[in-house]
């Protein structure tokens, strides 16, 4: 019993030694950021701030150094979320923060030509719907476009079925109001594989189109995808006429 107590005490003492609060105040990454500015922090210190906390064996700064020894900064920028999660001491939460920070950096500093996605046809939209084609539940997505048909935002606004989701125009257009959105495209999947629109699909399309006219935001199309193909309200002249969608 005594040996176990000593071992536990030694283990606790070891953990205490690696705590960030044991570092000199001026050496702690967060304090350095506040006093010296972000440009004066090392890569290890910046990542330590993203990590927030360390592991049982290492404080955040030490864990950051270990991380960069395994994945230098250039490689870290290319690492997937699953790769980060597999690293000792990182886990899902820390990996998510790192991954999110990298993506924000990519979006901020990437040339405009790489960040602008142009939606010019139904086929352009279909490229962004591959991830929901074989889902066992319906997913309702909205693509928000500016006047140059550049994709501003792609949002999943509902999950279930159009009948059970009870999606209202407000839920769709609320995202549009926070961006320079001029037009939008709605899309959802049919788990059955048959993309033929139901009566609910037609009624929903009509409702969104009418709301868009009031808000001066044009509904360009409603696309339904399934394993057996796709259905475009815009391409189907009869349905478009029935729903008074613009050409």
């Amino acid at each position: 019993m005594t040996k176990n107590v000593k071992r536990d005490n030694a283990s606790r003492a070891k953990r205490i030694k690696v705590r960030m609060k044991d570092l000199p105040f001026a050496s702690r990454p967060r304090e350095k950021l506040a006093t010296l500015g972000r440009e004066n922090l090392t890569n290890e210190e910046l990542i330590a701030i993203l990590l927030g906390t360390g592991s049982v064996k290492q404080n955040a700064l030490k864990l950051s150094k270990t991380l960069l020894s395994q994945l230098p900064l250039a490689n870290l920028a290319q690492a997937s979320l699953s790769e980060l999660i597999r690293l000792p001491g990182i886990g899902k939460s820390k990996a998510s923060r790192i991954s999110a920070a990298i993506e924000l950096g990519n979006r901020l500093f990437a040339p405009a030509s790489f960040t602008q996605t142009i939606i010019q046809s139904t086929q352009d939209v279909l490229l962004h719907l591959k991830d929901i084609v074989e889902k066992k539940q319906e997913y309702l997505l909205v693509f928000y476009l500016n006047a140059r048909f550049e994709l501003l935002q792609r949002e999943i606004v509902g999950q279930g079925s159009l009948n059970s989701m009870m999606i209202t125009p407000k839920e769709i257009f609320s995202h549009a109001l926070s961006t320079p959105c001029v037009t939008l495209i709605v899309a959802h999947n049919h788990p059955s594989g048959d993309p033929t629109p139901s009566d609910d699909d037609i009624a929903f399309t009509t409702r969104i189109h009418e709301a868009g006219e009031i808000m001066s935001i044009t509904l360009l199309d409603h696309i339904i995808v399934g394993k057996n193909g796709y259905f475009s309200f815009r391409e189907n002249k009869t349905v478009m006429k029935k729903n008074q969608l613009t050409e």
Side-chain angles (χ1 to χ4, degrees):
M1 180 66 72
T2 303
K3 290 183 178 179
N4 289 335
V5 171
K6 289 182 178 180
R7 192 157 42 241
D8 290 342
N9 290 337
S11 178
R12 280 195 293 271
K14 184 177 182 180
R15 286 199 295 269
I16 291 173
K17 289 179 182 178
V18 300
R19 293 181 307 182
M20 292 293 287
K21 63 173 62 177
D22 290 331
L23 293 174
F25 186 83
S27 299
R28 301 174 196 171
R30 290 178 183 174
E31 282 67 24
K32 287 185 67 174
L33 177 68
T35 57
L36 301 178
R38 63 192 181 195
E39 65 276 7
N40 291 307
L41 269 66
T42 65
N43 293 336
E44 290 88 350
E45 290 168 334
L46 290 171
I47 292 176
I49 292 174
L50 285 176
L51 293 175
T53 59
S55 64
V56 173
K57 297 181 179 180
Q58 300 174 306
N59 63 27
L61 188 57
K62 180 63 177 177
L63 183 58
S64 174
K65 292 179 180 179
T66 302
L67 171 62
L68 287 175
S69 69
Q70 298 178 32
L71 280 177
L73 200 59
N75 296 338
L76 181 63
Q78 304 300 322
S80 66
L81 182 64
S82 59
E83 289 176 315
L84 293 172
I85 291 174
R86 287 197 293 268
L87 294 172
I90 300 301
K92 187 175 181 179
S93 179
K94 292 181 174 64
S96 297
R97 287 197 292 270
I98 294 172
S99 185
I102 291 171
E103 179 58 24
L104 282 173
N106 289 339
R107 295 182 186 187
L108 180 61
F109 295 108
S113 59
F114 291 108
T115 60
Q116 293 175 354
T117 298
I118 308 297
I119 302 294
Q120 295 179 314
S121 67
T122 302
Q123 296 303 316
D124 290 338
V125 181
L126 292 175
L127 291 174
H128 296 274
L129 297 177
K130 293 180 179 179
D131 56 332
I132 67 167
V133 170
E134 297 191 18
K135 293 287 188 182
K136 295 181 179 179
Q137 281 187 304
E138 286 189 17
Y139 285 79
L140 179 66
L141 281 67
V142 182
F143 296 80
Y144 300 91
L145 312 175
N146 63 17
R148 294 185 296 276
F149 299 100
E150 296 169 347
L151 181 60
L152 301 171
Q153 206 169 337
R154 173 186 181 266
E155 288 288 334
I156 298 176
V157 297
Q159 181 179 347
S161 68
L162 287 186
N163 190 36
S164 64
M165 280 190 276
M166 300 298 289
I167 298 296
T168 65
K170 179 180 179 181
E171 292 172 270
I172 289 178
F173 288 98
S174 61
H175 295 284
L177 297 178
S178 62
T179 66
C181 175
V182 174
T183 61
L184 57 81
I185 296 171
V186 175
H188 80 280
N189 63 308
H190 277 182
S192 66
D194 180 4
T196 304
S198 65
D199 291 341
D200 285 335
D201 295 335
I202 296 171
F204 172 79
T205 306
T206 302
R207 192 161 67 250
I208 299 305
H209 168 63
E210 292 174 347
E213 284 192 321
I214 294 173
M215 303 184 70
S216 298
I217 298 177
T218 303
L219 174 65
L220 288 180
D221 202 352
H222 179 184
I223 299 173
I224 305 172
V225 294
K227 289 184 290 186
N228 299 332
Y230 75 91
F231 182 94
S232 164
F233 278 74
R234 183 177 176 81
E235 291 179 357
N236 191 303
K237 302 299 182 181
T238 303
V239 176
M240 288 176 62
K241 183 177 181 181
K242 183 177 181 180
N243 288 280
Q244 300 179 336
L245 294 180
T246 56
E247 186 63 47

